[in-house]
Amino acid sequence: MALALKALHTSFAVHFLAVVGAILVLIWCISFRGGLAWDSSNKNLIFNLHPVLMFIGFIIIGGEAIVSYKSLPLKKPEKKLIHLVLHAIALILGIIGIYTAFKFHNESNIANLYSLHSWLGIGVIVLYGIQWVYGFLVFFFPGGTPTIRSESLPWHVLFGTFVYILAIATAALGYLEKLTFLENSGLEKYGSEAFLVNFTAIVTVLYGTFVILTTLCQSPAEDEYSYSAI
């Protein structure tokens, strides 16, 4: 069952929000937080890689992977390949993003995995990895039987949607957690940085909303290579 909207049209909102969100998170981490670094005596610069990689690398590219399969006017094999590759990039960057948080904590003598955000983050990346591996084996190579593929597709879509919604919720918790730490350390609660972080979180939620909305819309005109909307 699809909404009476074209997936290609709603995907434009997805792309626009992706650009806005990427700009906001870069302004926050570079202009307000001092920049990005893999190694630095200022450990906060290492942490700044975490929100950048998790939002731009994981949330945005992962969302584009979902949207690409639904909205691009291409043949099914081409869409599958784009979908697979973008998800792989998102997964790799997400793993690196999580590693930077551990790196920051370890080099700053801060405990790991003590918050709900961190627990959910580990859960999301593990589930995302399982989803990608299963999708690769069943839908790409070596590929399951037609029966297995047809029976797996609704669950693949449902599970992927669940994991992505969970990723958006985890990101929102991350913004809240970091902003709370900063405000407890003296950051002005109604200052420009606090507003920027909150607006970035709102854009993240809107981005995820339009990604999910696009999956419920009508695909481009179907041909023998296409699939019916679920």
Side-chain angles (χ1 to χ4, degrees):
M1 184 67 180
L3 299 176
L5 295 170
K6 300 293 185 182
L8 182 61
H9 296 164
T10 57
S11 70
F12 294 145
V14 173
H15 305 325
F16 172 75
L17 289 168
V19 172
V20 172
I23 292 172
L24 290 177
V25 77
L26 287 172
I27 290 174
W28 177 36
C29 292
I30 295 175
S31 296
F32 284 87
R33 293 286 97 205
L36 310 169
W38 187 259
D39 285 301
S40 175
S41 57
N42 182 356
K43 304 307 177 184
N44 290 320
L45 302 186
I46 298 174
F47 175 83
N48 291 346
L49 288 170
H50 177 69
V52 170
L53 287 171
M54 296 311 296
F55 182 55
I56 297 178
F58 189 63
I59 297 293
I60 289 182
I61 296 181
E64 293 291 341
I66 295 171
V67 167
S68 68
Y69 196 76
K70 190 71 176 184
S71 65
L72 292 179
L74 302 173
K75 294 179 180 180
K76 187 175 180 180
E78 297 167 343
K79 293 196 293 185
K80 282 173 62 176
L81 181 60
I82 294 171
H83 183 73
L84 181 78
V85 171
L86 287 178
H87 272 312
I89 294 172
L91 179 60
I92 292 169
L93 293 178
I95 292 172
I96 297 173
I98 288 178
Y99 172 78
T100 60
F102 277 93
K103 179 178 171 67
F104 164 71
H105 281 198
N106 292 338
E107 295 185 12
S108 303
N109 296 315
I110 299 174
N112 290 303
L113 299 175
Y114 60 84
S115 68
L116 178 61
H117 170 69
S118 60
W119 288 16
L120 289 176
I122 294 297
V124 165
I125 208 73
V126 169
L127 293 176
Y128 201 98
I130 293 172
Q131 170 83 341
W132 188 89
V133 170
Y134 184 82
F136 180 86
L137 295 175
V138 172
F139 300 107
F140 194 76
F141 182 82
T145 65
T147 299
I148 291 176
R149 291 200 303 271
S150 63
E151 292 180 352
S152 296
L153 182 58
W155 294 104
H156 180 70
V157 173
L158 179 63
F159 186 72
T161 302
F162 164 73
V163 173
Y164 193 72
I165 291 173
L166 188 59
I168 296 295
T170 303
L173 281 175
Y175 292 122
L176 174 62
E177 182 179 301
K178 183 61 176 179
L179 185 56
T180 300
F181 287 156
L182 292 173
E183 290 176 345
N184 288 340
S185 299
L187 184 72
E188 186 179 351
K189 289 181 171 58
Y190 296 99
S192 56
E193 183 174 357
F195 279 111
L196 175 64
V197 175
N198 283 329
F199 276 122
T200 305
I202 290 171
V203 170
T204 302
V205 172
L206 288 174
Y207 178 80
T209 300
F210 274 92
V211 167
I212 301 303
L213 177 63
T214 301
T215 67
L216 301 175
C217 294
Q218 297 175 4
S219 299
E222 297 181 355
D223 55 27
E224 67 270 22
Y225 295 96
S226 301
Y227 70 98
S228 298
I230 297 173

